[in-house]
Amino acid sequence: MRISLRTFIIAAICFASRAGAMTLHECLIYAREHAHTNVVATLEMEEARLEARISASSLMPSLSLATSGNMSFGRNIDPETNTYDNKKTLSQSFGLQISLPLFDGLVSINNLKAARAAKRQRTDAAAESRDIISLNVIRAFYNVSYCRAMVTQMEEQLERDLRNLAATQRGETLGTRSGADTAEMRAMVAADEYELANQRSLLAKAYLTLRSEMGMTLSAEPMELEEDSVAAPAPGADEAFVHPRVAQAQWAVTEGRYQLRAARGAFSPRIYLSAGVSTSYYRMVGAEVVAPDFSRQWHDNMGQYVGFSVTIPIFTGLSNVNRVKRASVELRRRKVLLEKAIYDTAREDAEAALDLANAETELVSARARLEAETVAFNAVQRKFELGAVSAIDLYTASARLATARADMEGKRIQRIINGIVADYYRGVPLIRQ
């Protein structure tokens, strides 16, 4: 039994999701195959492919087999004497016909080209849908990374404040600390516990969101994730890259052009070639006259024919005129949508470049702030241990350090996401094979 490469990759990813950590690349591949939006887009691509086949079938000959049977009662014409009688007559006819369109104003050809353009348009629409889902997965993936970092930070902060609380309680027992300091430390520990519970709740929601974007079974249980996008350098930009949104709009304009040509072709004559063979069989029911047997009549009554049919539209209630006008308006609308797609893509590309530059600047500032806040907190922590500052001063320094760490982690994550988005608009694929 043969197993396709696609099936093997999906099975390997599913196994990895259960047995070990999933990287961002593996999450993106899983979402490409399982996200509901991507599955629907794949089915729509299949529909467009079948529509193109249906349009192509209009250019092919049509072959039909027809048969009919008739039982006549009462007064009828005798086929042998051509006179009226009251006999019952059983008659059957058989025919085989082939019809070939020779010319229809190129309507069928333009409809076929329009269907092919629609198929390419649907392919680009599916690509855009996959890219949107991939960007959502990337954001959800790094949101999990951020929430995990926040949980780790709060756990470390809670552990540190518990040690400070124990030291403060010992100092109160020895008379070097006041009861107010102990109360302040208890309040800090309580605040840490509350914030830790809140961050764990946010982490559970982040896991749920990531699974939802990937199309996995919904659960808030932790996932083993591993960052891998930073380690692998991004490939160079693709100079020939066309955003799927723009490509989709371009194919929509192409489809509109062919639809307009097909509408204009409805004014042309239509010529068809037809050919066929036919035969018949009859007999009198209950009559003394013995009719020839079936095989004899099949041969004797056999006939062949070839013919041409020409249809010239003269007046169709202005339906063809209005179809041409409607197709022309639709084409103009699609051209405007193409201009809008190009404009929006250029704007998003410029915004992505600005966001990346700002993220890099903010990351440098966040690192410098974290270093300064760390030094300041260590100094306050040392003074608190020596009894030179109060618990309120320690709480203030701790809050500033926690804010700096959270800001640093947020800027690091934002720099990664902005870099991926900027590379995407330069032609770097989101899913790197």
Side-chain angles (χ1 to χ4, degrees), residues 387-400:
V389 295
S390 65
I392 296 179
D393 296 328
L394 180 62
Y395 175 79
T396 302
S398 176
R400 291 173 61 89

Side-chain angles (χ1 to χ4, degrees), residues 162-183:
L162 285 173
R163 290 197 303 267
N164 289 334
L165 174 60
T168 304
Q169 289 175 337
R170 288 194 299 271
E172 183 182 4
T173 302
L174 298 175
T176 59
R177 290 287 182 182
S178 65
D181 289 336
T182 304

Side-chain angles (χ1 to χ4, degrees), residues 376-431:
F377 174 79
N378 291 335
V380 174
Q381 175 72 28
R382 180 59 179 166
K383 290 180 180 179
F384 178 79
E385 293 173 353
L386 296 175
V389 295
S390 65
I392 296 179
D393 296 328
L394 180 62
Y395 175 79
T396 302
S398 176
R400 291 173 61 89
L401 177 60
T403 302
R405 284 180 175 176
D407 187 60
M408 167 63 188
E409 182 64 18
K411 298 304 180 183
R412 183 187 74 86
I413 295 298
Q414 193 61 46
R415 165 61 183 84
I416 295 174
I417 296 176
N418 289 348
I420 294 176
V421 174
D423 288 340
Y424 165 68
Y425 281 101
R426 291 190 299 113
V428 178
L430 295 173
I431 303 178

Side-chain angles (χ1 to χ4, degrees), residues 15 33 149 170 185 194 366 373 397 411:
F15 175 79
E33 303 296 339
R170 288 194 299 271
M185 288 306 306
Y194 168 81
E373 293 292 351
K411 298 304 180 183

Side-chain angles (χ1 to χ4, degrees), residues 211-264:
R211 283 190 170 94
S212 175
E213 295 292 348
M214 293 172 57
M216 297 182 69
T217 302
L218 293 180
S219 173
E221 295 297 323
M223 297 173 59
E224 291 294 331
L225 302 177
E226 178 183 356
E227 294 186 27
D228 63 343
S229 61
V230 181
D238 184 4
E239 298 296 336
F241 172 73
V242 178
H243 194 280
R245 181 193 306 152
V246 176
Q248 178 184 352
Q250 289 174 341
W251 283 112
V253 171
T254 302
E255 180 189 6
R257 288 197 182 101
Y258 287 126
Q259 288 176 345
L260 178 58
R261 293 177 185 177
R264 290 172 176 170

Side-chain angles (χ1 to χ4, degrees), residues 68-255:
S68 64
N70 182 42
M71 174 69 77
S72 300
F73 301 91
R75 192 169 179 80
N76 293 289
I77 296 179
D78 188 340
E80 288 199 351
T81 63
N82 200 31
T83 59
Y84 285 98
D85 57 23
N86 292 321
K87 298 177 181 179
K88 297 179 181 179
T89 305
L90 173 64
S91 61
Q92 291 178 296
S93 63
F94 307 90
L96 181 64
Q97 178 180 348
I98 184 172
S99 179
L100 176 64
L102 297 181
F103 180 76
D104 63 351
L106 302 179
V107 173
S108 298
I109 293 178
N110 286 316
N111 284 336
L112 174 60
K113 291 181 178 180
R116 289 177 176 174
K119 183 179 70 173
R120 296 292 299 271
Q121 178 186 355
R122 181 53 59 187
T123 300
D124 290 319
E128 182 185 9
S129 175
R130 287 194 297 267
D131 290 344
I132 293 174
I133 293 297
S134 296
L135 289 173
N136 291 340
V137 170
I138 290 172
R139 294 186 178 96
F141 181 92
Y142 282 109
N143 186 43
V144 170
S145 179
Y146 174 80
C147 290
R148 288 196 304 184
M150 293 300 97
V151 169
T152 301
Q153 173 183 322
M154 290 309 305
E155 289 175 345
E156 294 175 352
Q157 183 172 329
L158 176 60
E159 182 181 357
R160 183 187 67 235
D161 288 343
L162 285 173
R163 290 197 303 267
N164 289 334
L165 174 60
T168 304
Q169 289 175 337
R170 288 194 299 271
E172 183 182 4
T173 302
L174 298 175
T176 59
R177 290 287 182 182
S178 65
D181 289 336
T182 304
E184 288 291 342
M185 288 306 306
R186 286 199 181 100
M188 290 177 59
V189 170
D192 292 343
E193 291 174 345
Y194 168 81
E195 187 61 27
L196 177 59
N198 181 51
Q199 292 297 332
R200 285 174 176 171
S201 176
L202 294 177
L203 178 59
K205 291 181 180 179
Y207 281 126
L208 182 63
T209 301
L210 178 58
R211 283 190 170 94
S212 175
E213 295 292 348
M214 293 172 57
M216 297 182 69
T217 302
L218 293 180
S219 173
E221 295 297 323
M223 297 173 59
E224 291 294 331
L225 302 177
E226 178 183 356
E227 294 186 27
D228 63 343
S229 61
V230 181
D238 184 4
E239 298 296 336
F241 172 73
V242 178
H243 194 280
R245 181 193 306 152
V246 176
Q248 178 184 352
Q250 289 174 341
W251 283 112
V253 171
T254 302
E255 180 189 6

